[in-house]
């Protein structure tokens, strides 16, 4: 079961069925000396490497899957697909102290939802248990294109 399937139907998982591994990418850049190191340095949806899903930490820090589920509740008002499936989320950094940093983009620089989508993502992620604060940054590199959309999003929008 893919991460996107879990996002859409988390009840499908039970004690006898484990989720398929999700993709995880480590950022090639190393944090500056003395800087806080993220628990998960970086995650991007473009990776072919496979790693086991990260469970919630014993200290109550939010899991990557819980953050993705929260992000998937945010929809572009002009497109009937959530922003995670649209491929607008470029990176999720989780820190041990409960901070979450998210890099996202928009479908176009003149997107009419440019002001509201980052705020909605921030508010959704901050509701996840174990998240102390969320910082959402809009990035334009690389530019978004339709190849970043999940198969589910392409199907919903009839774009193959």
């Amino acid at each position: 079961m893919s991460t996107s399937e879990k996002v859409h139907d988390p009840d499908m998982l039970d004690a006898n069925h484990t989720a398929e591994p999700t993709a995880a990418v480590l950022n090639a850049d190393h944090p500056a000396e003395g800087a806080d190191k993220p628990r998960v340095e970086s995650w991007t949806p473009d990776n072919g490497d496979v790693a086991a899903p990260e469970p919630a930490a014993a200290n109550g820090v939010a899991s990557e899957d819980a953050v993705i589920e929260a992000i998937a509740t945010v929809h572009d008002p002009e497109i009937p697909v959530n922003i995670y499936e649209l491929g607008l989320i470029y990176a999720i950094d989780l820190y041990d102290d409960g901070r979450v940093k998210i890099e996202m983009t928009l479908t176009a620089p003149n997107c009419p939802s440019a002001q509201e989508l980052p705020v909605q993502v921030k508010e959704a992620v901050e509701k996840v248990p174990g998240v102390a604060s969320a910082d959402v940054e809009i990035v334009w590199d690389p530019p978004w294109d339709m190849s970043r959309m999940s198969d589910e999003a392409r199907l919903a929008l009839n774009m193959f």
Side-chain angles (χ1 to χ4, degrees):
M1 173 178 287
S2 71
T3 300
S4 62
E5 289 171 330
K6 288 191 311 184
V7 168
H8 293 294
D9 193 0
D11 295 331
M12 288 193 62
L13 295 179
D14 60 31
N16 298 324
H17 180 81
T18 58
E20 290 180 13
T22 58
V25 174
L26 293 178
N27 189 349
D29 300 328
H30 296 291
E33 196 73 30
D36 290 340
K37 288 190 173 195
R39 181 167 47 93
V40 175
E41 287 188 28
S42 184
W43 168 91
T44 61
D46 298 317
N47 186 355
D49 296 338
V50 177
E54 184 178 329
N59 63 358
V61 176
S63 72
E64 180 180 323
D65 287 340
V67 171
I68 290 171
E69 287 179 30
I71 292 169
T73 65
V74 179
H75 288 72
D76 185 313
E78 296 180 341
I79 305 171
V81 176
N82 74 65
I83 65 168
Y84 181 78
E85 296 294 333
L86 282 174
L88 299 181
I89 303 300
Y90 283 1
I92 300 171
D93 296 335
L94 304 172
Y95 295 86
D96 289 331
D97 62 359
R99 291 180 295 133
V100 177
K101 181 179 179 204
I102 298 164
E103 290 182 2
M104 68 175 286
T105 194
L106 301 170
T107 54
N110 59 351
C111 174
S113 300
Q115 298 298 316
E116 63 195 58
L117 285 177
V119 172
Q120 290 176 355
V121 170
K122 176 181 173 56
E123 290 172 352
V125 170
E126 286 179 340
K127 290 179 184 175
V128 173
V131 173
S133 66
D135 177 41
V136 179
E137 179 182 355
I138 299 292
V139 295
W140 299 107
D141 189 34
W144 180 87
D145 62 48
M146 291 189 304
S147 69
R148 297 187 170 277
M149 293 170 41
S150 71
D151 291 339
E152 290 86 356
R154 290 173 193 262
L155 183 62
L157 298 174
N158 206 16
M159 301 174 99
F160 296 100

